[in-house]
Amino acid sequence: MQNPIPDRKIDLSAYGTAIAMSDAPDRLIAFLMAYEAARGNKTVPRRSDLNLRQMASLLPDLTIMERIAPGNVVYRLMGTSVAHRLGTDLTGHNFIEYLDATERLRIDECIALVADRPCGTFSVYENTYASGAHVRAETITLPLDSGSGCAPYLVLGLHSAQAIMSYDVAQQGSVIGTCWRDGVVLDLGFGVPEQSVLDRLKTTP
């Protein structure tokens, strides 16, 4: 059963940098309010805690992923708008295989941080879709408890601000993360990696 929205004041100060970076701050805030309402005093909210009615307008742009092993991050849920942009529903597929090759190690490490520490990430990057559209996009990822009560957690993502930058000829399949622009690791109360790790995560190999 989904929990009602609590009366307590929800503190989003941990997400201030992400909100400031976002091209869709109102949408991001709505997502964060729903996440923190579900989280309450828990380390991480359970999937069953999410108030889907409160998140109704966001559901088409949500994904849930599970990191099975290094380099193997499986989509467990893909919203209809995400699937439409990519040209196919990748539920059950390995997310890493659809990334630009230069981004795979770095993004896999970011996902591991969310699943294991836990923490959050906010990223601004570019995608190239099968339609030929080059798009500026942003994603926030946060940990989600599958029911085990411990890490590794699932990774909940909201994908927003799909701004078309240019068009090219149509291609075979979409590529996620063709260019990484900026991002931040979000401290959910359990710390973030040391600065050398954060610096490495901001640099494409």
Side-chain angles (χ1 to χ4, degrees), residues 51-70:
N51 188 320
L52 299 184
R53 179 174 297 178
Q54 184 185 6
M55 302 177 75
S57 66
L58 305 174
L59 295 179
D61 286 307
L62 295 185
T63 57
I64 296 176
M65 298 187 293
E66 180 180 6
R67 189 171 189 265
I68 306 296

Side-chain angles (χ1 to χ4, degrees), residues 96-106 175-178 204-205:
I96 301 299
E97 294 178 355
Y98 295 87
L99 291 168
D100 188 88
T102 62
E103 292 289 280
R104 292 178 180 179
L105 288 176
R106 186 180 62 78
V175 181
I176 303 168
T178 50
T204 300

Side-chain angles (χ1 to χ4, degrees), residues 1-6 8 10 31-55 59 62 64 143-149 153-154 156:
M1 179 178 178
Q2 294 169 9
N3 293 338
I5 302 172
R8 68 180 180 87
I10 295 176
F31 172 73
L32 294 171
M33 291 290 287
Y35 179 86
E36 286 295 329
R39 183 184 180 196
N41 294 321
K42 296 185 288 293
T43 300
V44 171
R46 296 183 299 269
R47 185 170 178 174
S48 59
D49 291 328
L50 296 176
N51 188 320
L52 299 184
R53 179 174 297 178
Q54 184 185 6
M55 302 177 75
L59 295 179
L62 295 185
I64 296 176
L144 187 65
D145 185 357
S146 63
S148 66
Y153 297 107
L154 300 174
L156 174 67

